[in-house]
Amino acid sequence: MGVVFEKNWLDQHLPSLPLWQQNAFKDFSLMIADEANTFPCIPARTGFLSNQLRFSFIGDPRELQSAKALATCLKEYGYCARSAGKYTSHAIFFETPKDMLENYEVEDYRALFWTLLNNVTAFDEKEWPREIPSDPSVHTWEFCFDGEPYFVFCATPAHQLRKSRHFSTLLMAFQPRWVFEDINDTTVLGQKLKRLIRKRIDLYDAIPGHPDLKWYGQKDNYEWKQYFLSDDEGHSPTTCPFLKGKSSINLSKREK
């Protein structure tokens, strides 16, 4: 058995998985495929219903072993992504223990998210793609692993106002850059989806859409700011916490 699962396989074999994994997948299914069809990301819903999304389950995100497991999952996903379909993405659920659920705030999850991305690069066996800048301050930067550029999405249990970034466990989704070839500001489809998604976000969240939500390649856009959005109307860090290849061994939040 691999570490990357299809929706159809999970639908049939879910009872064989640990309870937290069963609950995470059920929560995801209810969120993205609700009958009211209100979840803002239309491509993600389409990918889920058409069995194009792929899923992985990883343990406590504070452990360095989880960064290694994430690297293994991303590498396996890279092998199958292009055969999955044009609406594919890789959703990864992290086991989020009770102490995290009770004590972690949005900024704690933000720090943990960037620590995971930093640590996973230590297990990357390929060179950074030449066509993608390695400096996040360049507007065409994107996170890369195993030679593949990805847009990264993060949702946490601590997000409340920004419901589109709330999930019952720590959730990270990796979308290959190539899925956006037909979905961008220069295509009719991209322009239409942008209008629909922004409209849905306004209805779905308790606060307006975040000002950092822009198109890849725009000179005033920085992809890393969109990976992890604040739970307010506009806060974002001034510098990117990504330190390519420099792992942060201590993943644990300090005791309050």
Side-chain angles (χ1 to χ4, degrees):
M1 182 187 301
V3 293
V4 177
F5 303 96
E6 296 184 7
K7 171 186 177 293
N8 289 351
W9 188 94
L10 289 171
D11 285 339
Q12 297 177 25
H13 300 91
L14 197 62
S16 67
L17 299 181
L19 183 59
W20 80 265
Q21 297 182 9
Q22 295 182 44
N23 290 337
F25 183 72
K26 288 177 181 177
D27 290 344
F28 186 87
S29 301
L30 289 172
M31 175 185 73
I32 203 168
D34 61 294
E35 293 183 1
N37 193 16
T38 58
F39 187 72
C41 188
I42 299 168
R45 175 181 165 83
T46 301
F48 179 78
L49 295 176
S50 59
N51 195 41
Q52 295 183 43
L53 301 194
R54 297 295 181 263
F55 303 90
S56 293
F57 302 91
I58 295 177
D60 190 328
R62 296 169 294 184
E63 298 177 358
L64 186 60
Q65 181 63 30
S66 294
K68 186 176 182 180
L70 176 58
T72 300
C73 292
L74 287 175
K75 190 172 183 178
E76 182 171 323
Y77 173 69
Y79 295 147
C80 66
R82 290 186 180 274
S83 62
K86 65 179 181 179
Y87 291 111
T88 187
S89 62
H90 187 192
I92 299 175
F93 308 109
F94 291 86
E95 185 173 13
T96 310
K98 184 178 179 181
D99 67 298
M100 288 183 65
L101 296 174
E102 293 178 347
N103 298 316
Y104 266 52
E105 299 175 354
V106 170
E107 290 307 310
D108 298 316
Y109 282 107
R110 187 197 298 273
L112 181 57
F113 166 79
W114 284 108
T115 299
L116 274 165
L117 284 191
N118 281 326
N119 284 339
V120 78
T121 62
F123 302 102
D124 193 351
E125 299 173 349
K126 288 189 178 179
E127 295 293 326
W128 195 266
R130 291 184 178 181
E131 68 274 16
I132 302 295
S134 59
D135 181 358
S137 66
V138 179
H139 71 278
T140 51
W141 178 87
E142 190 82 280
F143 174 77
C144 300
F145 186 84
D146 201 37
E148 189 72 61
Y150 289 101
F151 177 84
V152 190
F153 166 98
C154 187
T156 83
H159 280 79
Q160 298 298 327
L161 297 175
R162 200 170 296 284
K163 184 182 173 185
S164 57
R165 292 292 177 128
H166 173 82
F167 193 65
S168 56
T169 71
L170 177 63
L171 166 66
M172 293 171 66
F174 292 78
Q175 295 175 284
R177 174 47 49 192
W178 55 262
V179 306
F180 297 99
E181 289 176 356
D182 297 324
I183 307 175
N184 57 67
D185 207 26
T186 66
T187 67
V188 174
L189 175 61
Q191 294 167 5
K192 180 179 180 181
L193 281 176
K194 179 181 179 179
R195 290 193 297 270
L196 289 173
I197 291 172
R198 297 296 166 83
K199 183 178 180 179
R200 289 192 181 201
I201 287 176
D202 289 340
L203 294 172
Y204 199 77
D205 291 349
I207 50 180
H210 201 287
D212 286 336
L213 292 175
K214 299 174 183 178
W215 285 107
Y216 175 76
Q218 288 181 270
K219 291 186 177 180
D220 62 344
N221 172 62
Y222 297 97
E223 290 287 274
W224 64 267
K225 289 191 174 186
Q226 300 187 52
Y227 291 0
F228 191 107
L229 296 181
S230 60
D231 202 34
D232 55 36
E233 294 190 14
H235 169 73
S236 63
T238 55
T239 58
C240 181
F242 183 69
L243 306 169
K244 178 177 172 290
K246 298 179 181 179
S247 62
S248 304
I249 301 301
N250 184 9
L251 296 177
S252 299
K253 174 178 178 282
R254 291 182 178 180
E255 294 293 328
K256 290 186 176 181

